[in-house]
Amino acid sequence: MAKSKKFTVRFRRRRESRTDYKTRLKLLKSRKPRLVIRKSLNNITVQITEYGKNGDKILISAHATELRKLGWKSNLSNLPSSYLLGLLLGKKTKAKNIAYCILDTGITPSIKGSTTYAVLKGALDAGLNIPHNENILPDEKRVSGQHIQDYARKLKNSEAYKKQFSGYIKNNFDVENITKEFEKIKAKIIEK
């Protein structure tokens, strides 16, 4: 431990690499609602939050498990699921008359075309105004799951197929038709 009187112990959340306080302060100084995207291994949570003195206030929230209620049987943390989740949140924000927010990805690394930016693309397509760079968004083929479908067809009738897509097989989901399922769920969300 420290032996000097000049040593300062960092905040616990900073020590645990859970919060970047400099970035958070910049976001809070804007006084705008934030689109908060938090990702785990199998799920994604998306929220519109505002700063409050006693803690952040969640205005709207969407969780990847809500896609199951709409009939989505695919993985809940891939690009098509992320896009659909962003679209779902965007539809919910229209009901609450929120038109503008800023992106808050927390400590998630910024990777061009990632699931984080697929959520952003879905929210933008739903009508939310969020400042962003067009180059970071994934293209339409990847958002619709075309890359997953092509890979599944490439591995068809092999042991690697059963290993890679065991979750899809367990849920009786035909990976080779993921783009059709994507369009069906997207239409359901838009109709809401």
Side-chain angles (χ1 to χ4, degrees):
M1 205 58 188
K3 300 203 180 198
S4 170
K5 290 182 180 179
K6 293 181 181 180
F7 182 79
T8 305
V9 178
R10 290 180 167 183
F11 292 121
R12 178 185 54 83
R13 290 186 62 86
R14 181 67 194 133
R15 286 191 317 260
E16 295 172 355
S17 296
R18 294 177 67 192
T19 303
D20 183 355
Y21 285 103
K22 288 182 182 178
T23 305
R24 179 173 164 75
L25 184 61
K26 287 178 189 174
L27 292 172
L28 295 180
K29 281 184 177 179
S30 71
R31 299 190 182 270
K32 305 274 189 239
R34 294 174 290 138
L35 172 64
V36 179
I37 303 169
R38 297 297 182 257
K39 199 177 116 173
S40 71
L41 188 60
N42 295 318
N43 287 305
I44 300 173
T45 303
V46 185
Q47 301 168 334
I48 302 287
T49 61
E50 268 185 350
Y51 171 75
K53 287 183 180 180
N54 297 327
D56 289 349
K57 186 172 130 186
I58 299 170
L59 305 175
I60 302 161
S61 179
H63 195 269
T65 54
E66 293 178 41
L67 296 175
R68 292 273 189 242
K69 295 174 187 170
L70 296 170
W72 185 250
K73 293 182 182 178
S74 178
N75 186 320
L76 295 177
S77 62
N78 59 15
L79 277 172
S81 301
S82 303
Y83 175 83
L84 293 172
L85 186 62
L87 191 66
L88 183 65
L89 183 85
K91 283 297 187 180
K92 288 181 177 183
T93 56
K94 281 197 171 187
K96 297 264 186 169
N97 295 324
I98 297 172
Y100 182 84
C101 61
I102 56 176
L103 183 64
D104 179 0
T105 59
I107 61 169
T108 305
S110 179
I111 300 170
K112 178 182 172 182
S114 67
T115 54
T116 303
Y117 295 122
V119 172
L120 174 64
K121 185 175 178 73
L124 291 169
D125 289 351
L128 266 174
N129 185 8
I130 304 167
H132 67 284
N133 184 346
E134 289 291 328
N135 296 335
I136 61 170
L137 300 177
D139 65 344
E140 289 296 325
K141 284 185 178 180
R142 288 188 63 81
V143 164
S144 67
Q146 184 69 43
H147 65 291
I148 299 170
Q149 185 172 307
D150 293 344
Y151 187 63
R153 287 185 178 150
K154 181 181 167 187
L155 292 180
K156 188 70 176 173
N157 298 327
S158 70
E159 196 61 37
Y161 178 88
K162 291 176 185 172
K163 237 182 198 180
Q164 181 71 36
F165 299 108
S166 61
Y168 294 92
I169 294 168
K170 189 174 89 177
N171 288 334
N172 295 325
F173 185 80
D174 185 14
V175 185
E176 296 176 38
N177 292 323
I178 193 168
T179 55
K180 290 178 187 174
E181 288 295 318
F182 171 81
E183 293 299 331
K184 208 178 347 176
I185 301 300
K186 183 178 175 181
K188 281 183 184 179
I189 293 171
I190 291 171
E191 288 172 8
K192 275 187 156 187

